[in-house]
Amino acid sequence: MLNPRKFVLKLMAILLIAAVLPFNVKQAKGQGGIVVEQPQVAVNFGQSITFQAKVTSPIPIQQISLLFREINEETTRVETLTVGADGFVSFTYDASLNLIPPFSWIVFWFQATLNDNQTYTSDPIRFQYKDDRFPWRDTSRANVNIHWYAGDDAFGAAALDAAGSGMLAINELVPISLNDPIDIYIYSNTTDLQNTLMLGGVDWAGGHANPEIGVVLVAIAPGASQGIEMQTKIPHELAHVMLYRSLGDTYANQPIWLLEGIASMVELYPNPDYARALEIASGDDSLIAFENLCASFPADAGNAFLAYAQSQSFVSYIRDSFGSSGLTRLTNSYSEGFGCELGATNALGTPLSQLDARWRENVLGQNTAGVALRNLLPFLLLLALVLMVPLWGTIDMLRQRRKNGNNST
Ligand SMILES: [Zn+2]
């Protein structure tokens, strides 16, 4: 997985950190450093995050800042603070800006310039930005943690079973990791879930995975259909996490139809409405070309549903034609940076557009040659027109010439 250039870059980064670290540590522990007492964080989920502490130092503080970021973020927020008489500092972050994903970890620290013109940095402190609006209950098996607030003990146990079966299904397609923890939060209704996703900056429906932090959010109501919903939604979102853990940064290079197709294939109950959606779209010629499902899925619910149905069917067709190893070659090809069309050529010897046509022909029973001709018809008519105009002109010219010739004789 690790390419040599990345390895060298990583090594350089480690060496750089190693070179910088003792300097920082010396600064923080140097004479006249700062002492942070009783650091506290109060989370009002989706509203605000308040950081408070008492910062003291033997010599006066010129200037002090709070620095914080979500642990996977590259940019650090820096806020200048006012120090109270007893060293009390406080800052309230507006969490309604929706920039911090739910259940992600936030790291913060203080940095102060004292009257000796030296800058001192405190040790970092981590906390989790939890959706604390619900009385979460927990149960775990191996590296999977289930959190839920509606339903009994059996509900939590059934969710664990669904996660276990999902892992086995995923393992057929993607290597699974049993070390890093995965947290699955089960909301009891889509409104609660969608509020959370919007609060986390994602305006999206259904389940959701945040693979970078190993967090899965789904909406499943306790009741008769809980089993089917668990065995559909949990494996799907788990697949996103496992794909991310297997592909690393190159997860972002993968076409959306491929990621969603793989995730939909491991759902333990195939969606019965997918076949119907495909049949209708195939019949009225409204299927979406896969080259238009590489970067994103349609925003409207109807076309998004069709996009999932197509991806599930298309990726299953690729797996049936080229095997699981074909799918692995495909993800590797996109990881290497091939574009959507050529990635398929590189991995499977067939460009995406041709795979699309073959899928329509073999799975949906379309006559793609006929479809292609029908699509070409307007252009053929236009071509005929374009060719006929000069032809008429020539005929006209010849007629004129003959007439003129007749006159001169
Ligand atoms: Zn998905």
Side-chain angles (χ1 to χ4, degrees):
M1 280 312 305
L2 206 59
N3 75 41
R5 216 174 85 209
K6 266 196 183 159
F7 179 70
V8 170
L9 280 175
K10 251 185 197 165
L11 196 68
M12 276 168 68
I14 291 167
L15 290 175
L16 200 67
I17 290 165
V20 169
L21 215 56
F23 183 58
N24 271 346
V25 170
K26 204 167 126 201
Q27 270 198 336
K29 289 188 176 165
Q31 269 194 338
I34 54 170
V35 177
V36 176
E37 291 171 55
Q38 301 149 27
Q40 282 181 347
V41 180
V43 170
N44 185 355
F45 187 78
Q47 304 294 320
S48 63
I49 302 171
T50 302
F51 302 83
Q52 289 183 338
K54 195 178 162 191
V55 182
T56 54
S57 61
I59 51 172
I61 295 172
Q62 270 180 24
Q63 196 251 333
I64 184 162
S65 303
L66 165 75
L67 293 89
F68 66 102
R69 62 180 167 79
E70 195 268 303
I71 47 171
N72 291 306
E73 275 182 324
E74 282 173 8
T75 45
T76 301
R77 295 170 177 82
V78 183
E79 301 292 340
T80 306
L81 306 172
T82 314
V83 190
D86 53 352
F88 177 78
V89 289
S90 174
F91 172 73
T92 299
Y93 170 74
D94 181 1
S96 70
L97 297 170
N98 304 333
L99 299 173
I100 298 176
F103 302 103
S104 60
W105 286 84
I106 297 173
V107 58
F108 72 99
W109 63 99
F110 295 94
Q111 193 169 295
T113 306
L114 304 185
N115 267 358
D116 60 359
N117 287 325
Q118 296 243 40
T119 299
Y120 301 87
T121 306
S122 74
D123 288 334
I125 301 170
R126 281 161 52 119
F127 71 94
Q128 196 179 18
Y129 179 55
K130 269 190 179 166
D131 183 356
D132 56 1
R133 297 169 303 164
F134 305 100
W136 294 106
R137 303 177 58 200
D138 316 287
T139 183
S140 314
R141 191 185 300 157
N143 59 333
V144 176
N145 309 307
I146 302 281
H147 311 263
W148 79 106
Y149 57 82
D152 51 13
D153 288 348
F155 184 87
L160 267 181
D161 288 341
S165 319
M167 288 284 226
L168 288 177
I170 296 164
N171 197 34
E172 305 273 306
L173 303 171
V174 185
I176 56 167
S177 86
L178 292 170
N179 300 318
D180 298 327
I182 299 158
D183 288 278
I184 301 172
Y185 291 88
I186 308 178
Y187 288 81
S188 73
N189 59 79
T190 44
T191 313
D192 282 356
L193 171 69
Q194 282 171 10
N195 282 341
T196 309
L197 295 178
M198 269 180 267
L199 294 174
V202 182
D203 182 3
W204 216 74
H208 177 73
N210 199 336
E212 295 93 338
I213 57 173
V215 166
V216 161
L217 312 177
V218 289
I220 298 166
S225 63
Q226 73 181 40
I228 290 178
E229 288 205 47
M230 281 175 181
Q231 301 197 44
T232 311
K233 291 174 177 174
I234 293 176
H236 179 113
E237 301 305 337
L238 275 179
H240 281 295
V241 176
M242 291 305 156
L243 276 163
Y244 178 83
R245 287 185 179 171
S246 150
L247 297 168
D249 289 343
T250 65
Y251 178 87
N253 294 3
Q254 307 296 319
I256 306 297
W257 60 259
L258 182 55
L259 293 175
E260 293 305 340
I262 293 174
S264 302
M265 270 169 67
V266 302
E267 293 175 9
L268 304 173
Y269 279 94
N271 190 324
D273 298 327
Y274 278 177
R276 182 97 190 99
L278 288 177
E279 197 184 316
I280 293 171
S282 178
D284 66 12
D285 206 13
S286 60
L287 287 170
I288 309 162
F290 279 98
E291 60 177 9
N292 296 327
L293 296 175
C294 294
S296 63
F297 267 17
D300 71 288
N303 276 315
F305 187 82
L306 177 61
Y308 279 100
Q310 281 190 220
S311 301
Q312 197 271 346
S313 173
F314 186 52
V315 176
S316 301
Y317 168 69
I318 294 175
R319 199 256 326 256
D320 293 347
S321 310
F322 301 93
S324 295
S325 63
L327 283 183
T328 307
R329 287 203 301 280
L330 202 53
T331 50
N332 287 343
S333 175
Y334 290 122
S335 290
E336 283 166 34
F338 281 92
C340 210
E341 175 86 354
L342 289 181
T345 317
N346 178 56
L348 310 173
T350 313
L352 178 66
S353 50
Q354 249 181 67
L355 279 176
D356 189 340
R358 284 190 201 168
W359 166 73
R360 288 173 191 227
E361 211 169 276
N362 293 316
V363 178
L364 304 176
Q366 285 191 359
N367 170 7
T368 40
V371 171
L373 191 69
R374 207 186 323 142
N375 287 342
L376 275 178
L377 210 59
F379 297 101
L380 291 176
L381 282 173
L382 193 69
L383 189 70
L385 268 176
V386 167
L387 289 175
M388 272 167 87
V389 170
L391 200 64
W392 276 331
T394 314
I395 292 167
D396 206 38
M397 205 177 72
L398 286 173
R399 249 197 227 142
Q400 282 291 331
R401 199 176 280 171
R402 205 183 322 157
K403 218 161 117 194
N404 288 346
N406 285 349
N407 283 351
S408 70
T409 40

